[in-house]
Structures are given as structure tokens and as C-alpha cells.
Amino acid sequence: MSGGSAVNDRIVSTLDALTRRPPERPWGVRELAEDLGLSRSTVHRTLHALTERDLATQTVNATYVCGPRLRVLADRLHRSHPLLGQAGPLAETLARACDATILLSLYDPRRAEGFVALSAIPDGPVRYRLDPGTVIPLHAGAAGRAILTELGPDVLARLDLVAHTPDTVTDRAELERLLRQARQDGVTISIGQHVALAAGVAAPFRVGGLLGAVSATRPRHETSHADLERFAPLVRETALEVSRLTTPVHQPTPEHGHAIPSWPSPAGDSGSATVRIERLLSALTASAPLPLGGRALARVLQGNPATAARLLDTALATGLATAHEEQAVAGPLLLRWAAALGSLHSITPIVFPALQDLAQQTGETIGLAEYDQATRTARMSAVVPGSKPIHYELSPGSEVPLAAGAAGKAILAFLPDDTLSELPLVKYTDRTPLHRTTIKKDLAQVRDRGWAVGDGERIPDGYGIAVPYFTQHTVAGSLTATVPRHRADEIDVDTVRTQLTAAARAITHLLSI
């Protein structure tokens, strides 16, 4: 193995370890080094490099957890991958039809095991539950055995047939007989073989170069064999529908407006192995497949062909990527990371530390406004109060008008021109601008300088400075520092603007793929 490949493998192994541990159980350097079989100095260097790219986060106790950038990439995969992006409604429909927990599990060939990629759990006091990312055995349980029916005898020979319950089949000859029967039936039935109190039925599927299974599972004491046979055709049909999900989720056309400010890329070694791994992850979480080599791959990964080839070799060997239709697409390991990390319902949790830093730096109240492209509205999703004796209080969750106040104008300035013409102009204070021509001139100034000011336009005694942030070259919201108007002359506007701009730039890079 070349030195470059070894470094790539170490980075992937470290990221895998970070995703395996919940945030409440962070890794210490010594513990992680023992887990990976590496020296503490090597692990420390790797974690430091990952932290610089926001792929890892160091806690106050000098331990490490998954970083916000990894969560953003996982969220993008939830939106772009045919399985994670489209199979949810199918699973929910099946869950209602069977009154059962539905799991979509995937096969990880490198580790010869399965894992839960997606689940749908109906309401009820007693329910079977396996969280996304959970490992499942191939020889025990309906989902694992359904996957095993699609694999050759060499895989079965590799398995350690552990008895998970007294009913687990550990005799290879008997297991082979059951697999032959399942292939003939098109479904696998398991009662108490993985979890003693569970009974389920599963059928295999293939999608996006991946092998998996759809399973319906219920508490054993509530489920008869006749119930499982009744569920079988429904499960089999859902597996067929999943297999047809071969195209990526349609991405809505971004609401492009004006060009975003020209900001430099984050500091760091643009040619480092960590940066290259991040580029690879970004490419794999997007909807477009990667070339399997050559200059086309090098262009996507922004490196020379030899370096790009080594990187793709690492991806294919570790399961980050898999070959499908002569291209590379997201592989089982990357899907497992995304399943374990889940999707983002709001960016607030991952950018909140930046808001706290801003509030500490400025001493003023900092607000995060998020713009919803579907509804064309903005809302103040998070607020960190200022530390000065007299500071302004903002209300989290409140709607932010786009044409009045710094937070809204910082967003509106970068939306399409016709957005302003469609907005109702509401008078909030005597200073609220109500003439579209005046507002349009103000928005042009915001675009020129990259920041907005609001002086009592929305809140009579509030003065705000706001800077927009972007995702995929489209405005996504703004960061605002709000102060009482009677102190507006005392603040250093240039310093506050600079601090807000730096934070908005970092958030833009964090959220963009």
C-alpha cells in the first residue's frame, strides 16, 4: 500500500469511528488510537486535520465527535440518494398496511454484515425498533437472511454463525436449506432468530449498485405465521418498488437571484489528504455519479489523475463508493454514515457555536434567520443574547419581514428582482420603508457592500447589522447583530460587520456542497 493510500485509509477509519459513537460518548485520543490500532500521535494529527475542515469537532474536554460538515454531507445524501431520498413514503405505507415496523437494510460486503438504512415505525405501546445505522447479522433475522439469499456460498462460508437466541439457526446445512426455500418463495420469514421477541418477513432489492432488503417486523406474541404470510406479498411488492428507484431525487431549481459576494476559500492546505477526502465525500453525496478514472475524475476531485485514482481506490475498497453502471456512486459505508447521522431539519444545531462566538466577540444579541424558498418567507430560528448589561432581546421563531430590518433586507437583496414587487409592504414603525423604489435602492447598496443595516424599521428601539449566508450559490438566510438604538452610535460598525462577515462566510462554506 502506498503512503497516500495509507493516509486515506486512516482518515476514512477515523471518520467511521466518529460516526459509530453518539455525541454523548465522544472519543478520547487514547481510546480512539487503541480502537484503530494506531499511535496516539497519528490519531491526534488526523483528528486535528479533520477538525480544521469541520469533519470532526473537539469538545471542551479535548475529546472528539462528528463535525458539522459531516452532518451536512449526510443530510445532502438523504436528499440526493434514491434510497434515502425516495423510499421513506414506501416504507411508511407498508408500515400502515402491516401495522409493523418496516426496515430497509443494506449489505456491507467488506464487513459481511447488514445495517439499517431507513425505518418506519407505526404508533403503538409495544414496537420492534432498530435505529438507522444499527448492524444486523446476515444469518439471523428476516432482513439479513433475505440479503443472504442473493449472495453466493462464499459469503456464507465467511460468516460466524453466532446464536443470538435459542432459535437462531447455526447449522450451515440447515441454513442453506432455508435459503434455498426463501429464494423459491421470494421472501424470508424469521421468528425469534435474531431478536427473541420479534417475528418478521423480508424480501431483497437492488438499487443504485447496492443490495438490501425490506422487512416487516412485529412483536412475536402479537404475530402468527399466518400474519407473516399475509404480509409477504406486500413486502415483496415494496421491495420491487424500491428496486425501481434508480434515478436521484429531483432537486428543485434554486431560486437564483443576484451573484453572491466573492469570498475566499477557507484557510488550509488545499492539497492535503483531508481536503481531498472531503472533496470525494462532497462528490459522492451529490446526485451525479463519478467517472471511474482518468482526467474526468481528476477534474471532479481537483487533483492529478494518479492522486484521484488512489482516492477512488480507497473509496471502493472501504465501501465509501461502489461501482455501478461503469461509474462510482455512494457505497454502503457512506450510506451507513448518513443513516446513523440522519438528516438535518434545521441548521441551528450545527451553526449555534458560531452564533455563541459572535455574541461573545461583539457583546451584542446575535440572531440566525433562515429563508424558506418554498414559502418565500424568513424566520428567526435561533438567538444568542448579548453579554452587555443593556442588550436587545429577539424572539426565536418569529417571522422576519424581508423588506424591513437588517435581517430581512440582507436576504432580499440577493433574491430575484421580482421578489420585491410581490411582497406586501407592512408598516411596523414610523421608520419602516414603504416605497419600493426606495427599498430597491437600499437593496442595491446592500449587494454592493455585502451587508445590511436596519435602524428602527421593524422594531422601534432596535438597530441591526446583518450579513447573508448562502448554500449552493443561493441565499439561505442571514446573521444579525441587534443593539438598542440608544447605543447605536457607540458600536464599531466596521468591526461588527467584519465579524459577521467572517461567520457568514464560514457558514456558507460549511453548508455548500
Side-chain angles (χ1 to χ4, degrees), residues 266-285:
D269 181 3
S270 61
S272 73
T274 306
V275 173
R276 290 193 293 267
I277 290 288
E278 183 188 352
R279 287 187 191 133
L280 172 70
L281 295 177
S282 297
L284 289 171
T285 55

Side-chain angles (χ1 to χ4, degrees), residues 162-173:
V162 175
H164 295 273
T165 75
D167 292 320
T168 303
V169 176
T170 58
D171 179 77
R172 291 188 188 276

Side-chain angles (χ1 to χ4, degrees), residues 154-165:
D154 57 322
V155 176
L156 177 58
R158 290 170 56 194
L159 300 181
D160 183 10
L161 303 184
V162 175
H164 295 273
T165 75

